[in-house]
Amino acid sequence: MTLGRPRLDVESCESTQALVDTALPEGALVVADHQTAGRGRLGRSWEAPPGTALLCSILLEPPADRAAPQLSLVAGVAVADAIEQVVGLAAQLKWPNDVMLRRRKVAGCLAEARDGAVVLGIGVNLNQTGDQLPERAGSLRTLTGRDWDREELLAWLLDDLGRRYADWLDNGLDGVYDGLAPRDFLRGRRVTVNGTSGTAVKIARDGRLEIAVGDGVVRVDSGEVAYER
């Protein structure tokens, strides 16, 4: 599937998520140089100085019976693929929606249902310096020592996301599991999610996180993860 058209580019906005018109065709894209009220999961802010990050939102129209939150993982796989193609370093996925590079968060994905569609927001830290980043976050610049081109990364991302999304439509997470399971950042780590503590086993094929607790396994649908580093 081809994504990225029609495309709206803005210099600044509160959030690209808010600018996506659900009346547009599937694949419509909004890209911003700067967000004044960018959002991540659980209402957290996503801030970056103008021109230093890839900030975009894409309109998708999956069938109503599909598990739309899985699209955060699908997007994470595509972001990881794109980073690896452009940068040449292995990326990992931290359930439920973060992309990690050299053990630092460099990207996040947010799938929000709206008007029968899904608006998929993606933010990638590109060229921020260390003092422009939150604690424990990284950018492609801080982790490689050089600047990176936003349009090059975006082109790889849209191409890969189009293919991964089509695979997900056909086969659910099974269709993208080859890019998901080997990159599971939490696997084998001690984690706490929603008050449940144990050892992360894997991201299941339905998108839930499996945690070994005592002699059993707990499957978590969503939540904030604390993990041992």
Side-chain angles (χ1 to χ4, degrees), residues 190 197-199 211-218:
R190 293 286 301 175
S197 296
T199 300
I211 304 173
V213 180
D215 295 328
V217 174
V218 175

Side-chain angles (χ1 to χ4, degrees), residues 53-222:
L54 168 59
L55 306 167
C56 65
S57 293
I58 303 159
L59 178 64
L60 300 176
E61 298 177 349
D65 61 348
R66 301 306 296 272
Q70 292 180 0
L71 286 171
S72 291
L73 290 170
V74 176
V77 172
V79 171
D81 286 342
I83 288 174
E84 290 179 358
Q85 289 290 337
V86 173
V87 178
L89 296 174
Q92 293 180 285
L93 302 177
K94 183 174 80 66
W95 183 92
N97 71 325
D98 292 340
V99 181
M100 312 289 285
L101 190 67
R102 291 182 168 172
R103 300 170 60 89
R104 297 282 182 172
K105 176 181 175 178
V106 295
C109 310
L110 179 66
E112 294 184 316
R114 189 196 310 163
D115 301 330
V118 174
V119 180
L120 181 61
I122 297 172
V124 183
N125 294 333
L126 285 179
N127 297 321
Q128 295 100 315
T129 59
D131 60 357
Q132 294 172 330
L133 291 163
E135 184 181 2
R136 297 176 179 172
S139 69
L140 302 192
R141 176 181 177 179
T142 62
L143 297 171
T144 66
R146 56 159 287 189
D147 285 349
W148 296 91
D149 182 77
R150 183 184 75 177
E151 289 301 313
E152 180 184 8
L153 184 67
L154 178 58
W156 279 104
L157 171 59
L158 292 173
D159 181 67
D160 197 275
L161 180 58
R163 290 186 287 106
R164 295 291 190 177
Y165 176 57
D167 290 340
W168 178 78
L169 288 174
D170 289 340
N171 300 295
L173 276 187
D174 280 341
V176 300
Y177 207 70
D178 66 315
L180 180 61
R183 294 187 172 115
D184 187 350
F185 178 79
L186 294 176
R187 179 178 291 179
R189 296 179 187 270
R190 293 286 301 175
V191 300
T192 299
V193 187
N194 301 339
T196 297
S197 296
T199 300
V201 177
K202 64 181 179 180
I203 300 171
R205 291 178 181 267
D206 62 3
R208 293 185 292 177
L209 181 67
E210 294 189 358
I211 304 173
V213 180
D215 295 328
V217 174
V218 175
R219 294 172 177 86
V220 181
D221 291 303
S222 63

